Amino acid sequence: MITYMFRKASRGFSPGLRRFSDLKVTEHVPESPASPRLTEQASLYVHWPYCLRRCTYCNFNKYIPKENNEDIMAKCLQRETETLLQLSQVSCITSVFFGGGTPSLAHPSTIAKILETVSKQVNLSDEAEVTLEVNPTPVGMSKLKDYHHAGVNRFSIGVQSLQAKDLKSLGRDHNSLDALQTLAEARKLCPGGVSVDIMFGRPNQTTELWSRELSEMLRVCDDHVSLYQLTLERGTQLFKQVQSGQVTMPTEEITAEMYQCARTTLQQHGFQQYEVSNFAKNNSESRHNLSYWTGRQYIGVGPGAHGRFVPLGEGGVAREARTQTLEPDVWIREVRQRGHGTRRRIQLGHLELLEEVLVMGMRMTTGINHKHWELFSPELSLLEIFGGSLVVQELLQHGQLILDDRGLRCSWEGLALLDSMLPVLLVELERGFSQKLAAN
Amino acid sequence: MTYFLVKQLCDISLLGRVLPFKVCRRKIPSYNICYRVLRHCLVKSLPVLSSSFRSLSTQPAKDAVDLSKFPVDKIRNFCIIAHIDHGKSTLADRLLEMTGAIAKTEKNKQVLDKLQVERERGITVKAQTASLFYSHDGQEYLLNLIDTPGHVDFSYEVSRSLSACQGVLLIIDANQGIQAQTVANFYLAFEAQLAIIPVINKIDLKNADPERVESQIEKVFDIPREECIRISAKLGTNVEAVLQAVVKRIPHPGGSVDDPFKALVFDSNFDHYRGVVANIAVIGGRVKKGDNIVSAHLSKTYEVNELGLLRPEEHATQKLFAGQVGYIIAGMKDVKEAQIGDTLYRHDHPVQALPGFKPAKAMVFAGMYPMDQSEYPALRSAIERLTLNDSSVTVQRDSSLALGAGWRLGFLGLLHMEVFNQRLEQEYNASVIVTSPTVPYKAILSSAKLIKEHGGEEVTIVNPAQFPDRSVVLEYLEPMVLGTILAPDAYTGKIMSLCLSRRGVQKSMVYIDEQRVMLKYLFPLNEIVVDFYDLLKSMSSGYASFDYENADYQAADLIKMDILLNGRPVEELTTIVHRERAYSTGKAMCERLKESIPRQMFEIAIQAAIGSKVIARETVKAFRKNVLAKCYGGDITRKMKLLKRQAEGKKKMRRVGNVDVPKDAFISVLKRKEK
């Protein structure tokens, strides 16, 4: 019965893919062929897993290298890029992002080689955004020019703070002077293509200190600011310090105030908020990140990288959530053995895909427009799903959510409460989806 | 002092007892307390020709046991009553060993306590019976030990057991002395007019002070100290004297084998293969396999398939004779057919039925819900099976918007409820949400129309939803209990203020020796039903003991209190409270809700209200920001998982107005607090 229903659904949602119906795919509905663009292109994320030291707040996948194995790492990243590009069958890579870890520890030639690999295999336009995360250390700064030469056209600089004391206590390996110099150098190389990461909600931080620091930052920064709230993660040194009472974190009330204060300040300085934590002026939005939020395909390369794409190369029809092996050494071994270090592959059902599109899309201030939603859900419109819901009506009435002829999005106030609204929206989506399935 | 004591006993009996056939007796003021009345009230009216009776049985002895050689004057029916842990079961084990009912081994511990909960808690819940053979002065005696539950919650079971006895052994710990349940049990036996043999146990303990206990017994029960038997059940010291006293001091049952057959059903069990196994006391005549018997209650005829003694295992015999106690299986398919208190007689020889028992009345109610609705059928069958053997639990289907489908169960008391829950968990592996217990209130209606509707002016309110409005009510009534507290006098002050805070009214205060005080308080049952005993125990470092008996209803200023979330009443949290307690109860509920309702996008006002008047308020502040600031490198799997879990949780939440209330919040407010 269930198989039957899914079969019907798969027909319903994807008339053009009937050629696959003799394959044993019933549950997982392929992405809508209404937009071949979705499977023809992807963005590329490349993970550099190494850091010089461990920041006290970070629980991300990074390793302090024991030896210099950059050559091996470079070769493996290239190899995996090749494999996954081939698997995805994309013809075009729209953007590349080197993240980490500390990718600015990588030699510029490594970056160049990877970009070469990409452009050899698929179309990587000169216009394509190529971003590198940079730690604003003197060493990092000294390589900016070479990175630029290698093809990087956007730098995302992890300034985090301009307070010397805080940088130290957070365990960062730079000081504020380094940050300012790196920033200036980057702006010189890529005017309009430099982003700064700043972090609020730091230990002992007050709203006033934060406000002052932000103003200072705004005087020196380029056209893009990413605003991150320091979240206390289990297993970090900071977590232990807070647990033992050595360090106090600002309360929820205070961080809420800091967030609102930052949003207002940035707006006053001409920055448009385009996502929960991203602000830009002069059209300098991160295109790479926008492609995540608009539900495009992305390929993740490197230890622990995540990807979302249809493995057309092996006859796949549904998008997969893919994760690469975490530990660099194991990952290296796997890439050498079989060309890639993919550890986990989970096929996304149609509903799951829509859930991701919804969750990611709502992070943007423009939300999800009707056309965009239709790309993924030709059969079930936003209005059908959310228009009749009482709970959604309440959110609309309270002015936290907006559903109009443009689409579905958060209001200014609502955006700060997105995580409270998403569960409600997900429940409605599931309800609408299963009703549609039953009706078909 | 004696006068004082007597007066107090009279007070108690006036307040406490329910069995109607005892009324005539308890109204007679007696300055010389009769602790040994020779005949059990149920058999009092029967012709007494026992002492000269000779066994004339000509029945050839086919049984291993020839019961015909035990005429009534060679039979003693007795039970052991005691406060928890005073050694009732240990003494029973010794008696069983000494009379050869069970082999003497180290392993004999609580032989009669078959249930896991009984062994763990050291209490007896379900009465067991054991027939013992005992030789004394060259004579063979049949001693029927009818085990009883030790707690007054089970006083219904106790009185059932007592009704088949002519005497009791009242066990008192030589170290602890008289405790609350000793007192309660004494009165049960006393009012049943049984011979009472005080047995001071645990004299081997280092701190044993039998002298002191004897004076307590003399003072509280007016039993001469010479009648106390000092023993150590654990070591077997002087236990022989107990058996001798049973023979010498407890009167034999009345009745004669020549009378028509007549038996009292005093207990029943259900066996999946054989149907109902009824425990009977033969009042008169004889019964054998193949006899056609009739139950007076249903007038249904049954053929006796099997009968015999309980030793304590079933031991089939051919016959049972007047005065004997045993079991009978007669093709009854349902426990309801073996109504406890029912009379059995031969189909060709009807007799006048015994007065029977007034059915036990549930005094404590609690909702029971499966943790997950998918477990409903399993829980239902577990409850059905448990109630099959415990007819005193009342079962009513109930459903709550927050907790789903469940039941409202009525229990005789708190311990009864706890034991039931524990058996449910242990024997049936069922995990349940048990709501905080409530008591049955009553209302006297004033409106003629409503009286007609209800078929009477008095209505019992078990569910707050049925609470009739003040405007149609003459008065509300709440159930009362008479509580007995025994404690060292150092704690008297603290205990008195606790009792006062629970709306208790002191009825008496007696020093039972230099250091120990016995306090009697009249309490609203509702005030002691939740945590009173725990508080009492902790404030007295465990030295106070408490017991209570039901003491009818009293007028009370009861009101219905609503809990509101943003102005909307939450149906399942509506509570009936005494006006004096409304504020503290309401505040506590609001506080517990505040802790368990997660912050939402808007402020939530949690209020307790009486009518339109808000008496307590807590506020859950709105989220000002709730969004994850950063999504790293495309790793949204974790985030999606979290959101999906929240979405799933959302579906299970109960929406009150615009507020989502997780099931846990209801559980934390409704559930009994763990001890």
Side-chain angles (χ1 to χ4, degrees):
Chain A
M1 184 62 197
I2 287 177
T3 316
Y4 173 68
M5 264 168 37
F6 276 116
R7 205 180 276 280
K8 277 194 95 171
S10 82
R11 258 185 249 142
F13 283 109
S14 54
L17 275 179
R18 268 180 214 158
R19 61 177 187 277
F20 286 116
S21 63
D22 48 1
L23 288 175
K24 270 193 90 179
V25 175
T26 45
E27 272 193 57
H28 298 283
V29 178
E31 280 167 35
S32 170
S35 136
R37 268 200 341 266
L38 280 179
T39 49
E40 272 172 16
Q41 45 181 243
S43 56
L44 178 68
Y45 174 80
V46 181
H47 191 78
W48 184 264
Y50 300 117
C51 284
L52 278 183
R53 54 202 282 196
R54 213 174 287 275
C55 297
T56 60
Y57 56 89
C58 179
N59 74 338
F60 204 49
N61 182 37
K62 80 279 155 187
Y63 297 83
I64 312 302
K66 285 167 277 190
E67 60 200 314
N68 185 353
N69 60 352
E70 172 142 9
D71 281 352
I72 302 168
M73 186 45 92
K75 280 204 182 85
C76 287
L77 286 172
Q78 282 174 274
R79 176 89 193 276
E80 191 172 52
T81 304
E82 264 170 30
T83 315
L84 297 184
L85 282 175
Q86 161 65 29
L87 186 65
S88 72
Q89 298 272 293
V90 294
S91 55
C92 172
I93 285 294
T94 50
S95 63
V96 182
F97 193 102
F98 293 92
T102 311
S104 57
L105 291 178
H107 197 274
S109 66
T110 303
I111 304 297
K113 282 179 205 153
I114 295 167
L115 291 173
E116 250 166 61
T117 309
V118 177
S119 48
K120 249 190 248 160
Q121 214 167 328
V122 298
N123 178 20
L124 177 66
S125 128
D126 290 346
E127 308 288 297
E129 180 187 275
V130 178
T131 310
L132 177 80
E133 277 183 352
V134 177
N135 256 17
T137 58
V139 182
M141 185 175 74
S142 69
K143 294 194 278 188
L144 289 184
K145 206 173 189 171
D146 295 330
Y147 288 132
H148 187 54
H149 274 303
V152 173
N153 53 21
R154 191 171 177 275
F155 291 109
S156 169
I157 302 178
V159 177
Q160 315 306 357
S161 166
L162 291 174
Q163 308 285 329
K165 216 177 90 200
D166 286 9
L167 286 172
K168 204 162 172 218
S169 80
L170 292 172
R172 301 290 302 186
D173 47 15
H174 67 271
N175 59 40
S176 58
L177 186 63
D178 295 339
L180 294 174
Q181 287 174 346
T182 309
L183 197 52
E185 171 74 8
R187 289 184 70 178
K188 212 164 68 195
L189 291 167
C190 308
V194 180
S195 173
V196 292
D197 281 4
I198 26 176
M199 188 184 274
F200 69 98
R202 305 190 308 252
N204 308 318
Q205 195 180 27
T206 64
T207 312
E208 221 208 323
L209 283 172
W210 164 237
S211 173
R212 230 181 295 152
E213 188 179 357
L214 187 63
S215 303
E216 205 180 317
M217 191 75 88
L218 284 169
R219 277 197 297 277
V220 293
C221 71
D222 196 35
D223 290 351
H224 194 279
V225 173
S226 287
L227 204 61
Y228 298 141
Q229 183 183 333
L230 174 56
T231 45
L232 201 54
E233 303 284 354
R234 264 175 196 290
T236 59
Q237 197 188 328
L238 185 65
F239 187 84
K240 279 182 218 134
Q241 289 168 341
V242 172
Q243 287 290 41
S244 66
Q246 290 171 46
V247 164
T248 14
M249 299 289 283
T251 62
E252 260 177 48
E253 293 299 311
I254 302 286
T255 55
E257 212 175 277
M258 289 176 176
Y259 182 64
Q260 298 298 7
C261 156
R263 291 175 81 187
T264 316
T265 310
L266 281 157
Q267 197 179 33
Q268 284 162 356
H269 285 77
F271 282 87
Q272 291 293 317
Q273 179 172 21
Y274 67 101
E275 193 258 359
V276 170
S277 48
N278 287 283
F279 301 78
K281 58 184 182 187
N282 307 323
N283 302 318
S284 297
E285 292 88 358
S286 158
R287 273 171 276 161
H288 182 84
N289 282 335
L290 277 172
S291 70
Y292 291 148
W293 298 319
T294 49
R296 311 289 164 172
Q297 293 202 115
Y298 53 96
I299 297 169
V301 166
H306 289 252
R308 292 281 186 284
F309 64 89
V310 184
L312 288 176
E314 52 173 42
V317 287
R319 187 182 284 199
E320 288 182 359
R322 302 170 69 98
T323 315
Q324 309 311 107
T325 295
L326 274 174
E327 301 85 357
D329 294 349
V330 184
W331 174 84
I332 286 170
R333 202 185 316 136
E334 287 171 359
V335 173
R336 282 174 153 179
Q337 276 166 9
R338 47 190 170 104
H340 65 87
T342 304
R343 181 52 68 96
R344 245 165 89 85
R345 300 171 51 178
I346 297 168
Q347 280 198 7
L348 296 179
H350 193 193
L351 175 62
E352 287 166 296
L353 176 64
L354 293 184
E355 285 170 347
E356 290 200 357
V357 171
L358 178 73
V359 166
M360 299 308 273
M362 291 304 288
R363 292 183 65 88
M364 296 182 292
T365 49
T366 52
I368 303 163
N369 68 43
H370 294 297
K371 243 197 142 60
H372 179 66
W373 182 256
E374 208 189 310
L375 206 59
F376 296 92
S377 176
E379 292 262 308
L380 191 62
S381 71
L382 288 172
L383 280 169
E384 281 174 277
I385 299 166
F386 302 110
S389 154
L390 280 177
V391 239
V392 172
Q393 280 302 322
E394 241 169 63
L395 295 173
L396 297 174
Q397 272 162 22
H398 283 94
Q400 285 141 340
L401 198 65
I402 301 163
L403 178 62
D404 59 13
D405 50 8
R406 274 162 60 194
L408 181 71
R409 63 191 177 280
C410 297
S411 69
W412 164 270
E413 293 80 22
L415 193 64
L417 296 167
L418 178 61
D419 283 0
S420 291
M421 291 197 280
L422 284 175
V424 178
L425 298 178
L426 285 170
V427 169
E428 294 306 318
L429 170 59
E430 194 191 329
R431 195 187 41 80
F433 188 84
S434 50
Q435 273 172 11
K436 192 81 191 181
L437 268 189
N440 285 350
Chain B
M1 189 45 100
T2 311
Y3 166 75
F4 184 77
L5 186 75
V6 167
K7 181 166 181 309
Q8 177 207 323
L9 290 179
C10 292
D11 278 354
I12 292 158
S13 41
L14 279 172
L15 283 163
R17 294 304 155 202
V18 283
L19 297 183
F21 52 86
K22 288 173 183 167
V23 171
C24 56
R25 202 195 129 66
R26 71 182 185 213
K27 280 188 178 163
I28 304 165
S30 157
Y31 288 88
N32 176 17
I33 289 174
C34 181
Y35 54 88
R36 186 201 283 187
V37 177
L38 288 183
R39 208 148 280 99
H40 179 249
C41 51
L42 284 175
V43 296
K44 207 160 46 175
S45 56
L46 295 171
V48 182
L49 25 107
S50 48
S51 57
S52 59
F53 182 79
R54 293 282 174 274
S55 168
L56 299 171
S57 172
T58 51
Q59 179 79 25
K62 282 180 194 157
D63 311 335
V65 185
D66 178 10
L67 288 179
S68 64
K69 70 179 187 192
F70 296 105
V72 284
D73 64 344
K74 293 289 178 286
I75 297 172
R76 300 292 181 271
N77 295 324
F78 70 103
C79 53
I80 309 176
I81 52 181
H83 189 79
I84 282 178
D85 273 349
H86 279 199
K88 183 168 73 108
S89 298
T90 314
L91 178 60
D93 292 348
R94 281 305 87 71
L95 296 179
L96 261 56
E97 283 171 12
M98 290 172 63
T99 56
I102 55 170
K104 197 167 180 173
T105 73
E106 288 295 302
K107 284 181 206 143
N108 288 336
K109 283 201 174 130
Q110 291 181 263
V111 172
L112 295 185
D113 290 341
K114 290 178 182 166
L115 302 174
Q116 187 185 350
V117 53
E118 294 180 319
R119 286 161 177 269
E120 275 178 17
R121 290 178 175 243
I123 56 170
T124 302
V125 174
K126 190 77 188 159
Q128 303 287 339
T129 295
S131 294
L132 317 171
F133 300 106
Y134 177 62
S135 293
H136 178 62
D137 284 346
Q139 299 278 348
E140 187 88 5
Y141 288 89
L142 178 63
L143 310 184
N144 296 310
L145 164 57
I146 295 157
D147 195 18
T148 65
H151 193 270
V152 76
D153 268 5
F154 304 102
S155 63
Y156 178 65
E157 289 250 344
V158 175
S159 37
R160 265 163 31 189
S161 303
L162 293 181
S163 68
C165 297
Q166 286 74 42
V168 299
L169 301 175
L170 179 64
I171 315 293
I172 302 146
D173 184 306
N175 178 16
Q176 290 185 12
I178 291 179
Q179 296 291 319
Q181 278 161 42
T182 320
V183 180
N185 282 320
F186 168 81
Y187 288 122
L188 282 175
F190 175 73
E191 286 180 26
Q193 307 181 5
L194 305 184
I196 296 167
I197 301 170
V199 176
I200 299 173
N201 188 22
K202 307 195 189 181
I203 55 167
D204 57 305
L205 289 184
K206 208 174 87 196
N207 296 323
D209 189 354
E211 296 278 331
R212 201 185 100 223
V213 178
E214 279 168 6
S215 20
Q216 289 179 352
I217 290 170
E218 216 165 35
K219 186 156 183 187
V220 179
F221 303 139
D222 205 16
I223 300 176
R225 56 171 62 223
E226 297 72 43
E227 299 197 7
C228 298
I229 304 171
R230 298 183 186 183
I231 66 160
S232 162
K234 195 172 127 200
L235 305 178
T237 316
N238 216 19
V239 176
E240 183 69 30
V242 174
L243 284 169
Q244 287 168 11
V246 167
V247 171
K248 279 193 221 153
R249 295 203 227 161
I250 295 178
H252 60 76
S256 147
V257 282
D258 299 329
D259 292 339
F261 168 65
K262 181 175 186 176
L264 168 76
V265 178
F266 67 89
D267 199 1
S268 69
N269 290 290
F270 184 78
D271 183 303
H272 267 288
Y273 302 102
R274 300 179 301 167
V276 175
V277 181
N279 290 3
I280 59 165
V282 184
I283 309 288
R286 62 182 82 190
V287 62
K288 63 176 192 299
K289 207 171 154 176
D291 279 358
N292 282 312
I293 56 166
V294 179
S295 108
H297 180 66
L298 294 172
S299 304
K300 270 177 90 172
T301 307
Y302 303 92
E303 188 188 321
V304 177
N305 304 328
E306 186 186 331
L307 77 178
L309 292 181
L310 294 156
R311 313 187 51 193
E313 276 68 45
E314 287 164 12
H315 185 97
T317 60
Q318 289 299 315
K319 295 183 177 179
L320 283 174
F321 297 90
Q324 295 172 356
V325 169
Y327 72 97
I328 192 163
I329 299 171
M332 294 174 174
K333 296 277 176 279
D334 190 333
V335 267
K336 291 190 188 83
E337 292 178 78
Q339 193 88 27
I340 287 154
D342 198 1
T343 307
L344 302 178
Y345 58 85
R346 272 175 70 117
H347 78 115
D348 53 359
H349 205 133
V351 297
Q352 201 195 344
L354 298 160
F357 303 106
K358 204 171 162 179
K361 238 199 184 129
M363 289 313 285
V364 175
F365 290 83
M368 244 178 230
Y369 300 88
M371 209 56 121
D372 188 294
Q373 279 296 310
S374 65
E375 293 162 15
Y376 181 87
L379 184 59
R380 183 182 56 205
S381 77
I383 288 176
E384 275 169 5
R385 274 180 289 168
L386 259 183
T387 48
L388 208 57
N389 270 324
D390 187 354
S391 52
S392 53
V393 181
T394 63
V395 182
Q396 215 183 329
R397 281 174 65 179
D398 201 358
S399 82
S400 146
L401 289 169
L403 306 177
W407 299 266
R408 192 155 194 88
L409 302 187
F411 302 96
L412 302 176
L414 277 179
L415 184 71
H416 188 204
M417 177 172 92
E418 269 172 36
V419 164
F420 186 90
N421 291 347
Q422 203 176 334
R423 289 186 68 182
L424 209 55
E425 276 174 22
Q426 287 177 345
E427 294 168 36
Y428 298 96
N429 197 22
S431 62
V432 286
I433 300 164
V434 182
T435 65
S436 186
T438 57
V439 302
Y441 293 107
K442 284 180 179 172
I444 308 293
L445 301 171
S446 60
S447 121
K449 189 173 155 247
L450 276 177
I451 293 172
K452 207 171 163 193
E453 240 171 65
H454 284 94
E457 58 167 24
E458 191 183 278
V459 284
T460 302
I461 311 144
V462 171
N463 188 333
Q466 309 153 345
F467 193 72
D469 193 74
R470 173 115 255 160
S471 60
V472 297
V473 166
L474 217 52
E475 65 178 347
Y476 297 109
L477 304 173
E478 64 178 335
M480 305 298 290
V481 293
L482 183 71
T484 302
I485 300 165
L486 274 109
D489 61 355
Y491 301 106
T492 313
K494 276 193 197 164
I495 291 172
M496 283 167 65
S497 56
L498 171 69
C499 293
L500 202 66
S501 75
R502 297 306 177 98
R503 299 193 283 131
V505 176
Q506 199 185 83
K507 289 290 163 186
S508 70
M509 178 172 157
V510 182
Y511 275 83
I512 63 166
D513 61 24
E514 290 73 36
Q515 289 116 37
R516 290 187 69 83
V517 182
M518 177 164 76
L519 295 155
K520 299 252 180 188
Y521 271 87
L522 189 65
F523 288 109
L525 174 59
N526 189 42
E527 295 287 340
I528 59 154
V529 100
V530 180
D531 56 357
F532 177 79
Y533 189 52
D534 297 328
L535 281 171
L536 184 70
K537 273 271 171 202
S538 68
M539 70 165 48
S540 65
S541 316
Y543 284 115
S545 66
F546 173 70
D547 212 334
Y548 66 88
E549 55 189 304
N550 296 328
D552 214 346
Y553 277 74
Q554 264 189 14
D557 192 2
L558 300 176
I559 43 176
K560 187 163 95 168
M561 182 174 70
D562 289 314
I563 298 292
L564 313 175
L565 292 181
N566 281 353
R568 295 274 192 106
V570 189
E571 201 182 301
E572 46 272 77
L573 298 182
T574 302
T575 319
I576 300 172
V577 284
H578 192 272
R579 192 178 294 277
E580 273 176 26
R581 306 283 280 165
Y583 173 73
S584 58
T585 311
K587 186 155 177 52
M589 287 178 83
C590 290
E591 280 168 359
R592 275 160 95 171
L593 271 175
K594 184 187 176 175
E595 280 166 25
S596 43
I597 296 181
R599 288 175 80 172
Q600 296 182 20
M601 293 171 65
F602 37 79
E603 188 173 284
I604 304 166
I606 306 168
Q607 296 165 312
I610 295 162
S612 57
K613 192 180 158 219
V614 172
I615 57 166
R617 175 185 170 131
E618 294 287 333
T619 306
V620 178
K621 281 200 190 157
F623 264 128
R624 287 191 54 208
K625 178 175 96 61
N626 181 28
V627 65
L628 185 77
K630 180 169 181 169
C631 263
Y632 285 109
D635 176 13
I636 57 166
T637 314
R638 217 170 73 173
K639 176 74 182 159
M640 285 306 298
K641 260 190 195 154
L642 180 71
L643 286 168
K644 289 286 287 172
R645 209 166 45 231
Q646 287 169 347
E648 280 309 307
K650 203 111 197 148
K651 281 194 240 163
K652 287 185 189 143
M653 284 193 202
R654 163 119 152 73
R655 208 167 162 79
V656 180
N658 58 349
V659 183
D660 285 317
V661 188
K663 192 171 170 182
D664 287 352
F666 285 97
I667 295 173
S668 85
V669 177
L670 294 174
K671 204 186 162 198
R672 290 199 69 211
K673 279 199 178 138
E674 297 295 333
K675 283 179 189 165

